[in-house]
Structures are given as C-alpha cells and as structure tokens.
Amino acid sequence: MSASPSANMGCMDEFLVATGLTKSFDGVQVVESVSFTVHAKEIFGLLGPNGAGKTTTIRMLSTVLGPDEGDVTVDGHSVGRESDAVRRLIGVCPQELALYPELSATDNLVFFGRMAGLSGKEAKERAADVLERVGLTERAKDAVRKYSGGMKRRVNIAIALMSRPRLLFLDEPTVGIDPQSRNHIFDTVLALRDEGMSVLYTTHYMEEADRLCDRIGVMDAGRIIALGTPTELKAQIGDPGATTLEEVFLSLTGRSLRD
Amino acid sequence: MRLLLRQALLLSVKDTRLFFRDRFALGFALLFPILFIVAFSLALGDIGPEDEQLRMAVATEEEGGFSRQVIDALTATDATGVDEWDPQDAEQAVREGSLPGYVLFPADFTQRMFGGGSTVVRITDSEGGEQTVRLTGEDSGARILVVTADGDPETEAILGGLARSIAGRIGTLSLAARGVIELEGFTALDLARLGELGAAPPSIVFTTEQVGDVEPFNASNFTLPGYLTMFVFFAAALGAEAIARERQTQTLERLLANGVRRSSIVAGKMLASLYRGFLQLAFLWVLGIFAFSIDFGESPAAVIVVSVFMAVASSAFGVMLAALVHTVKSASSAAVLASLTLAPLGGCWWPLFITPDWMQALGRLTPHGWANDAFNKLMLFGAEGQDVLVNMLALALFAAGFLVIAVARFRTVSAN
Ligand SMILES: Nc1ncnc2c1ncn2[C@@H]1O[C@H](COP(=O)(O)OP(=O)(O)OP(=O)(O)O)[C@@H](O)[C@H]1O
Ligand SMILES: [Mg+2]
C-alpha cells in the first residue's frame, strides 16, 4: 500500500510555501509575518510555547482561516484562490479530538471519508486500511468514547489519513498519552514520511521534535524566531553533540511562563 | 449544488444517528412534552363539578404575576366550573357560610415560585387550622392556600384537587427548567423520577358531564399544540449546543479542510434539526389524537402545514443561535433562556386570546405566537386553511430571517 498517489513528487522540492502570513483577532496580532517552507517528504516541526500561534498558523495553511496578509501555496496551488485543489492534497489532525465519541472508529472514519468525497465502499475499504496502520483493527467497532487516551489520539490521526493526503498537518498529536502510544505514533509518522508524505508537526515536547523532525521552525509570540535542522539550531548555542533542543528552545524563547 | 446537497445529507444523517444514541436528547424531545401535556390537560381539562350548582372559587392577592395567568386560563371557558372571586369577598362569603371554600394565591406567589423550591398546597379552615400537602421536596417555594369554612371533606377534596393539580403543573415546570439549566450534569437527571414528582396527577380527578349539545371542553386542544410548539423550539435551540461543541472540538474545522462547504454545514445542521422536529410532530400529534382525543378542526391539513412551517422556523432558529454564541455553555444558557421566554410570550403556556392586547401584540413578535394563533384558530374556533395563510407566511418569514442571520454569522472556528 502506498500513500502517495503521485509518481513525480521528488521534482517538487518545496511542497508548502508560506510567505508573510499575518493574522490578528480583535486588533491583537497573533501571527506576524510568518514565512517558511515545508519540503516534499520531510517532517517539519513547528515548535513554540502555549499561545505562540501554532494552531492559528495551521488553520491558515489548511484553508480554514483566511490570513490578513500573506499567502500560502501547496504544491503550487494558492490556498486563497485554489482552496479546493489544496484541500485535496492535505489532511488535518486538529489539536482537539475532532471526532464523534459516540460513534465507532470505523463509523468516524467512514463519515469523514465520505464527507471528503469517497463513495461508501471506498470509504469502508480505506477505513480498514487506515485502522490497520494505526493498530486499531481489533477495537474498530467499539464506540470511541470507550477508548484509552492514546487510542483516541490514534483515531484522530487516522481520520486525517482517510483522504490519502500528500501533506499532513499534525497539531500536537501526542498530548497526554503513554510512551507506548507515543512510540506507535512516531513510527507511523516516520513511515508515512518514508512513503513520500510531507508532515507539518507541532509540539512543545522537545525530545519529540529532535527525534522526528528533519527541520524545525521555532515560533514565539506569533513570529518565527529560528529556523533550521535540529543540529543547526543546537549549533547556534553550543556544541550540537552536547546541547539539547530544550536548551535551544529556552534560550530562544526565554524562561518566563506563557499563560 | 449536488455536492452541497450530498454533504448536507450525509451530515444530517450522522447527526440523526447521534441523536438516537443520546438518551437525554431523545427524552427531552419526546417524553418531556408528554409529561407537560399530561399535567396540564389533567389540570385544565377535566376540572369541573359533577353537578351544575357546585362551582369552584379562586382568588388571588397578586396584582398580576403568574397566578393571574393561571386564573385566566382556568376561567377562560365556563366549562371548567371555576369562578374568580375578589379575595376579600371570598373570605367574607366563607365566614357568612354562603361559599363553602376557595383556592387562594397569596400575594408572594409569583415571587416565591421563581425563587426556587417547591410549590406547596395548604388547606386552611376559616378558624385558622392548617394542613399542608407537600408535593415535592422542602417547603420553601410558592404556596397555594385552600380555605374552607368548616373543614367539610367534600369541599376540601374538590378544592384540594384543583390546588394540587395547579401546583403539580407549576412544579413540573420549574423542575424542568431547573433540570435543563443543569444540563452539564444531566446524567443525574432521572426522567422517570421527574415524572413522578412533577406530573403527579391530582389525587382527585374531576369529570365533566356533557350537558345538552355543548361539547365538553377539551383542554388538550390548546395545551397540546402549545407544548408541541414550545418543545420543538426548545429541542432545536438545544441543538445549538451540539453545534457549539463541534466547533470547540474542531470537527467543523476538520470538515472544512476536507473540502466541505460552510453552506453544507449550515444546511446539514438545519436538516438534522428538521428531522428531529418532524419526529416530534408525528409523535405528539399521533399521541394527541389517540390519547387526548384532540380535534384537528375543519382542516386537519392546515394544522399539519402550520406545524411543518413551525418546525422549519425552529430549525433555522437553532442554527442561528449556534451562530450567535461562542461557547458550549453560552449555547445551553441561550437555548434555555430563549425557549423559556419565547414560550410564554408566544402563548405556549396559556392561550394568547385570553391575554390583554399588549401581550397579544408581543406574542406576534415570536414565531411561537404565530404558530399557536394558527393552532387555536384551527382547533378551537373552526377556522379553515385560508384563515391561517398569514400565519404560515409569518412563520416562513421568521425562518428566512433566522437563516439569513445563521448563514451570515456562522463560524466554524472557535477561539481557544
Ligand atoms: N478565533 C480566535 N479569536 C480570538 N483569539 C484567538 C482565536 N484563535 C486564537 N486566538 C488567540 O491567539 C493566540 C494564539 O493561539 P494559538 O491557538 O494559535 O496558539 P498555539 O501556539 O496553538 O497554542 P497552544 O500550544 O496552547 O495550542 C492565543 O492567545 C489565542 O487566545
Ligand atoms: Mg495550538
């Protein structure tokens, strides 16, 4: 099974390009001139403390929220002008558990699959594939309400995979779950990348970013304040071999509490 | 257009599945109204003395307030056998022995009713002896007094029954209101027990005998459409809560990023609410016909058409409410507040035609008012379809207005 429908993906190196994204709510600037690129087949980490503007940025990248200024292209399609084309390329796993707890995992997946345009049959087949991938086949018929926290998170990700996206947004996908589930999610994300998917991953767990991400953008108070590979970022403050990303993060964003 | 329809239908089917899994929502939409209709129909419908000479006297020390509404409803038609007395005259008449007794609403009735606690019936004889019949819980709520001359058991029984049935339905009402307000903890709300408490039927059931050609007055002909309207709107308004929750859990956002149109979401939500409304209509009308012998009047089709317009307006109302509020909590408060304000204003609790002109005018500002006006005309006064065309038009305009606001203001993203 391959998650990438396109054969010529490697040619398009810059898969997502964000330029000068700016957004304010009620006069308060929440995202300010954010620019970065996500290359094809890479995991790009967006790190930042609470309220940094990560979720708001993802909303703008995924066509849900219009930016006040700036634009985004995904595989050359403008998010503002060709949102339908962009929506066919992306999958979004929101920060909240965006699912219906009273329905089973299969029913959730089939529902979202059909809403994305799949036929009933296609949706069922794909749901089975995706459930297998996140290791939930055995509990597929149970109401999600009865799942453990880690299983719920995996369903949340599974839903985003239903449309076989080429770019996957994962907004803090591992909040509040045990190491087993977390490792399972890491393995899934790495496998998806190796199959050709691009991933934008937000988190505030530094070791997670260090382990997963090919490149990282550090966000604070609505702005990108550092951009590079984990090794490059560590080199900014010391010996990359002896420094942790956590130290980089704290030295960049300061030690004061955020909320 | 086809895409929009497909998405809206899929969404509404999903919502309907969820509705059938939600025991509280089902109970609220279908069982609550029955509870109310039973309580009110018992209170209003079958009150009446068995022989013509025996009439019941009620009096209130309040200037306006809720007792005014109750008395107006009770005295709206002669068939109930209830007369209103001035409280001083009634007291005098009891002392002189010309009146066996009366039911009295004390001056603080409305105030205590809204202060919480239960509604209590006290039986007092003119010598001051007192006997309290508690309907629910502790004795802190509103009181209804039954005053009798000499503790004559028959008078006590008749007036006590009247007072208890009034207390019963007021109790149901405040219980329901409280239950709904505490929605967050609704698992603790035991519907069966609530029914026991609130709708406890009066211990004495009065029967009306048919006299000559006059049809016995069937109160269900206005209590049923009234509560039907109230609960169709109430259930639709509570639907706003589910929409707000979907905004909070980012499912609406997820749909949007999946290529679902905003208008499909609005249409899907409205459709789902409409199915629920139709289910309520079918259920309660059928129940009304078989269990309460209600009469659809000269044009039953017009009753159905009016109820369909009413359901359409209610579903647009619910989606509009969701568009206007920000959080799940504010959605439930707004739903309860709007429903419990619009229902009495719109004549769901007592017929508008017995109220003063200014209240009737106020009623016309609500969709409930137009619906009830049509139901009353059709089911009580023998009107025909064309007499209520303006009501249908008004309901359609309300629906359109609500929908315009809903579409203009509908947000899929919540602030976190
Ligand atoms: N729709 C909105 N209306 C008003 N303010 C908003 C809205 N969405 C986000 N905000 C505000 O914008 C700021 C950034 O929020 P955002 O959710 O993007 O941060 P985040 O980096 O995802 O934080 P977290 O790590 O807590 O998820 C916060 O202060 C938030 O309150
Ligand atoms: Mg966030």
Side-chain angles (χ1 to χ4, degrees):
Chain A
M1 192 199 78
S2 162
S4 62
S6 161
N8 63 348
M9 282 212 357
C11 315
M12 189 94 199
D13 194 35
E14 298 190 330
F15 197 69
L16 176 145
V17 182
T19 25
L21 286 182
T22 299
K23 183 80 191 174
S24 36
F25 293 113
D26 314 315
V28 181
Q29 275 211 345
V30 166
V31 174
E32 223 177 313
S33 319
V34 162
S35 304
F36 63 91
T37 57
V38 179
H39 299 154
K41 301 185 193 181
E42 85 167 350
I43 302 176
F44 181 87
L46 200 53
L47 310 192
N50 288 129
K54 304 181 294 293
T55 299
T56 306
T57 303
I58 288 195
R59 282 175 172 149
M60 291 189 282
L61 302 179
S62 62
T63 76
V64 170
L65 204 62
D68 297 340
E69 279 168 47
D71 193 24
V72 184
T73 59
V74 176
D75 200 16
H77 301 286
S78 156
V79 162
R81 278 169 277 113
E82 304 161 85
S83 55
D84 278 335
V86 171
R87 285 167 181 165
R88 280 192 286 274
L89 295 170
I90 61 172
V92 180
C93 170
Q95 184 169 357
E96 302 290 328
L97 289 170
L99 43 77
Y100 302 101
E102 298 305 317
L103 299 182
S104 69
T106 301
D107 288 348
N108 268 291
L109 291 171
V110 170
F111 170 70
F112 282 105
R114 298 204 63 189
M115 290 305 283
L118 302 180
S119 73
K121 188 163 166 284
E122 278 175 307
K124 276 193 197 111
E125 285 167 7
R126 233 180 251 191
D129 282 354
V130 167
L131 282 169
E132 171 109 43
R133 155 142 252 163
V134 297
L136 286 173
T137 306
E138 268 156 44
R139 299 284 304 274
K141 298 240 173 326
D142 294 351
V144 173
R145 170 170 53 84
K146 300 181 187 153
Y147 286 12
S148 71
M151 291 163 75
K152 286 178 186 161
R153 284 280 156 198
R154 269 138 68 196
V155 179
N156 205 29
I157 296 174
I159 295 171
L161 299 177
M162 281 298 284
S163 59
R164 296 207 173 135
R166 286 174 60 196
L167 170 60
L168 178 65
F169 295 98
L170 296 171
D171 195 356
E172 302 193 25
T174 57
V175 178
I177 63 178
D178 62 28
Q180 284 81 5
S181 271
R182 179 174 298 196
N183 279 328
H184 194 287
I185 289 176
F186 290 170
D187 293 345
T188 309
V189 173
L190 289 169
L192 289 168
R193 193 249 339 247
D194 294 341
E195 287 162 24
M197 199 180 284
S198 310
V199 179
L200 191 148
Y201 193 105
T202 81
T203 181
H204 26 223
Y205 298 123
M206 295 308 129
E207 60 316 331
E208 195 167 304
D210 206 355
R211 185 167 150 193
L212 278 182
C213 299
D214 300 310
R215 286 191 317 125
I216 285 170
V218 179
M219 242 186 133
D220 191 24
R223 274 196 290 226
I224 299 260
I225 53 172
L227 202 60
T229 65
T231 318
E232 284 166 3
L233 292 181
K234 287 178 208 164
Q236 285 185 10
I237 66 157
D239 170 18
T243 321
T244 64
L245 260 189
E246 178 123 10
E247 288 167 329
V248 178
F249 186 76
L250 289 175
S251 88
L252 286 169
T253 61
R255 286 175 183 272
S256 60
L257 283 178
R258 294 318 162 112
D259 47 36
Chain B
M1 190 65 207
R2 258 190 63 194
L3 178 77
L4 194 150
L5 208 65
R6 176 176 184 273
Q7 293 175 337
L9 281 174
L10 279 169
L11 249 173
S12 64
V13 169
K14 183 270 300 169
D15 273 6
T16 307
R17 280 180 71 184
L18 289 176
F19 172 68
F20 279 107
R21 277 169 205 218
D22 184 347
R23 279 235 209 79
F24 177 80
L26 259 174
F28 187 86
L30 300 177
L31 297 181
F32 254 48
I34 300 180
L35 225 126
F36 272 66
I37 293 159
V38 169
F40 269 73
S41 295
L42 278 176
L44 294 177
D46 297 329
I47 297 164
E50 283 182 16
D51 59 293
E52 273 304 295
Q53 288 82 358
L54 193 77
R55 297 194 59 89
M56 289 179 283
V58 293
T60 177
E61 289 172 349
E62 289 194 293
E63 293 287 317
F66 200 75
S67 62
R68 175 84 270 133
Q69 309 302 340
V70 174
I71 290 177
D72 283 346
L74 287 171
T75 52
T77 153
D78 206 40
T80 54
V82 176
D83 297 318
E84 186 182 359
W85 283 64
D86 176 81
Q88 262 127 37
D89 294 350
E91 200 190 326
Q92 184 70 21
V94 168
R95 279 186 199 289
E96 286 168 2
S98 57
L99 185 71
Y102 61 97
V103 170
L104 177 69
F105 294 92
D108 60 357
F109 181 74
T110 304
Q111 192 198 334
R112 277 170 158 263
M113 200 185 113
F114 288 109
S118 54
T119 312
V120 169
V121 178
R122 271 175 212 282
I123 310 215
T124 317
D125 57 44
S126 52
E127 268 76 66
E130 244 185 31
Q131 173 196 352
T132 303
V133 183
R134 236 170 251 169
L135 282 183
T136 55
E138 75 294 348
D139 177 5
S140 62
R143 287 169 307 143
I144 302 170
L145 303 182
V146 175
V147 183
T148 60
D150 50 1
D152 167 41
E154 196 187 339
T155 314
E156 246 176 40
I158 291 172
L159 293 177
L162 174 65
R164 252 172 270 186
S165 64
I166 294 168
R169 65 193 165 122
I170 290 166
T172 318
L173 231 158
S174 47
L175 259 177
R178 253 179 288 154
V180 169
I181 286 160
E182 284 161 20
L183 259 181
E184 296 305 317
F186 63 68
T187 40
L189 201 104
D190 185 343
L191 282 176
R193 190 168 150 66
L194 213 116
E196 252 172 58
L197 294 175
S203 49
I204 300 115
V205 177
F206 298 90
T207 48
T208 321
E209 259 185 327
Q210 190 165 334
V211 184
D213 281 345
V214 186
E215 288 228 351
F217 169 70
N218 182 359
S220 302
N221 274 347
F222 76 73
T223 51
L224 196 134
Y227 282 107
L228 177 67
T229 306
M230 168 175 170
F231 276 96
V232 167
F233 268 90
F234 210 150
L238 284 178
E241 201 195 27
I243 300 178
R245 182 164 292 125
E246 284 208 46
R247 191 155 55 210
Q248 190 185 21
T249 59
Q250 299 187 294
T251 46
L252 297 183
E253 240 176 272
R254 169 165 245 163
L255 288 171
L256 219 59
N258 254 348
V260 178
R261 298 267 174 283
R262 216 175 65 111
S263 43
S264 309
I265 298 180
V266 174
K269 291 294 168 190
M270 214 183 125
L271 267 182
S273 171
L274 201 58
Y275 303 156
R276 296 194 292 265
F278 286 162
L279 180 74
Q280 287 180 293
L281 291 181
F283 187 70
L284 290 167
W285 281 138
V286 168
L287 189 89
I289 291 167
F290 290 106
F292 296 92
S293 336
I294 55 164
D295 181 2
F296 273 7
E298 302 296 312
S299 20
V303 175
I304 302 297
V305 175
V306 169
S307 31
V308 167
F309 273 101
M310 185 266 282
V312 172
S314 79
S315 59
F317 179 72
V319 180
M320 175 187 76
L321 217 57
L324 295 178
V325 299
H326 288 272
T327 62
V328 178
K329 263 220 139 60
S330 55
S332 33
S333 323
V336 171
L337 213 68
S339 303
L340 292 185
T341 315
L342 291 174
L345 277 183
C348 294
W349 294 356
W350 49 80
L352 279 181
F353 56 82
I354 63 162
T355 61
D357 285 347
W358 64 269
M359 272 199 71
Q360 297 192 27
L362 264 181
R364 250 167 256 132
L365 297 178
T366 69
H368 304 54
W370 287 98
N372 282 319
D373 180 55
F375 291 135
N376 291 339
K377 281 181 177 152
L378 292 166
M379 296 172 64
L380 294 172
F381 306 131
E384 299 196 12
Q386 68 260 29
D387 302 324
V388 295
L389 280 178
V390 58
N391 298 61
M392 296 177 192
L393 182 72
L395 286 169
L397 287 177
F398 268 110
F402 293 151
L403 193 61
V404 166
I405 299 175
V407 171
R409 295 287 306 271
F410 197 84
R411 282 162 294 114
T412 41
V413 174
S414 85
N416 35 2

